[in-house]
Amino acid sequence: MRGVTLDIFAMFKNVLALVITVFHVASSVNAHGYVQEITLGSTKYTGYLPYSDPYYNPPPSRIVRKVPGNGPVEDLSLIDVQCNGWTAGGFTTAPAPVFGTVAAGSQVKLNWTAWPDSHKGPLVTYMARAPSDITKWNPGTSAVWFKVAQAGKDSAGKWAATDGLYATNSVYTFTIPPKLKAGQYIIRHESIALHSAYSYPGVQIYPSCIQVEVTGSGTALPTSFVSFPGAYTASTPGIVYDVYTNTGNYPIPGPAVWTGGN
Ligand SMILES: *[C@@H]1O[C@H](CO)[C@@H](O)[C@H](O)[C@H]1NC(C)=O
Ligand SMILES: [Cu+2]
């Protein structure tokens, strides 16, 4: 009799654990996000889809480096912050097998999955020039990144990652610097969510690395670079920020945008 009672109790515990797990997975699917589609000039590319691509054999060839899911990177000291990895879960990102083509000076459109309203913050975009075949290049901790675009909080208090995306069907647009020298580049685009950023750790980084070949006759290259990890630390302006009470300007983290000799 006593044994039966214990078994029922154990069963109840297992069911409860399952319910909690399913709920947790379901809620994390609803939250967060990633770039699901990229338009380079007029050509559309499907992004890396973390909830379906890994289940195909062979996996589809994407121009976006693989990501573990739709979750954030919170430890700014890890390589995870570069192209979205999950070291703690055994997931490291890697070069993608192919790249897209885009002319210098043309527009890049980045289509985000539904972005939660609580995740207010900026959208920031960097590039890094590949010294060799981009499908084999890992920048590691080298300082190779320069900022090409950023959008934070406007004077009306509207945020790029929420209000901005809601106004454009979740598509963020930036321009490849018109005079940028031709070659292969990684575009590192990120959403920085500030809902827990009142102290560090707390800020949530959602990076995405897109491989492109830039064409054109430009000759310009920047002269100063940052690294990921490295560019952001707990003391970088804009990494710790109370989004609920701070009605002033928001300092977007990282260096100034490279104007590309425009
Ligand atoms: C964004 O991508 C999704 C998935 O491919 C697509 O259904 C949606 O129409 C795209 N949005 C825009 C504005 O192109
Ligand atoms: Cu989230």
Side-chain angles (χ1 to χ4, degrees), residues 43-193:
T43 310
K44 221 172 237 191
Y45 299 84
T46 301
Y48 180 84
L49 307 178
Y51 299 106
S52 51
D53 281 5
Y55 305 105
Y56 284 89
N57 190 9
S61 289
R62 308 296 192 199
I63 66 169
V64 180
R65 297 191 169 195
K66 65 176 181 167
V67 298
N70 62 8
V73 176
E74 294 174 314
D75 185 339
L76 299 177
S77 71
L78 300 178
I79 190 73
D80 300 1
V81 80
Q82 185 172 102
C83 291
N84 198 344
W86 185 34
T87 298
F91 182 102
T92 23
T93 199
V98 291
F99 52 85
T101 304
V102 63
S106 60
Q107 288 190 330
V108 174
K109 293 184 185 295
L110 303 163
N111 173 341
W112 280 86
T113 53
W115 190 250
D117 185 40
S118 61
H119 288 32
K120 299 188 189 332
L123 296 171
V124 192
T125 309
Y126 294 82
M127 291 177 76
R129 182 177 174 85
S132 56
D133 184 355
I134 198 166
T135 65
K136 301 198 165 60
W137 183 50
N138 261 318
T141 54
S142 305
V144 292
W145 302 95
F146 55 99
K147 193 185 271 177
V148 293
Q150 61 183 6
K153 182 166 71 164
D154 70 13
S155 53
K158 304 265 189 214
W159 287 95
T162 48
D163 311 289
L165 287 178
Y166 300 158
T168 57
N169 289 319
S170 294
V171 176
Y172 174 75
T173 302
F174 78 97
T175 301
I176 302 283
K179 295 179 182 167
L180 184 64
K181 187 176 177 172
Q184 295 185 335
Y185 292 83
I186 301 175
I187 296 170
R188 179 186 174 280
H189 173 70
E190 67 187 342
S191 185
I192 301 179

Side-chain angles (χ1 to χ4, degrees), residues 222-239:
T223 52
S224 81
F225 304 92
V226 296
S227 65
F228 285 101
Y232 302 162
T233 69
S235 58
T236 303
I239 289 298

Side-chain angles (χ1 to χ4, degrees), residues 31-32 119 204 206:
H32 318 307
H119 288 32
Q204 298 188 345
Y206 297 83

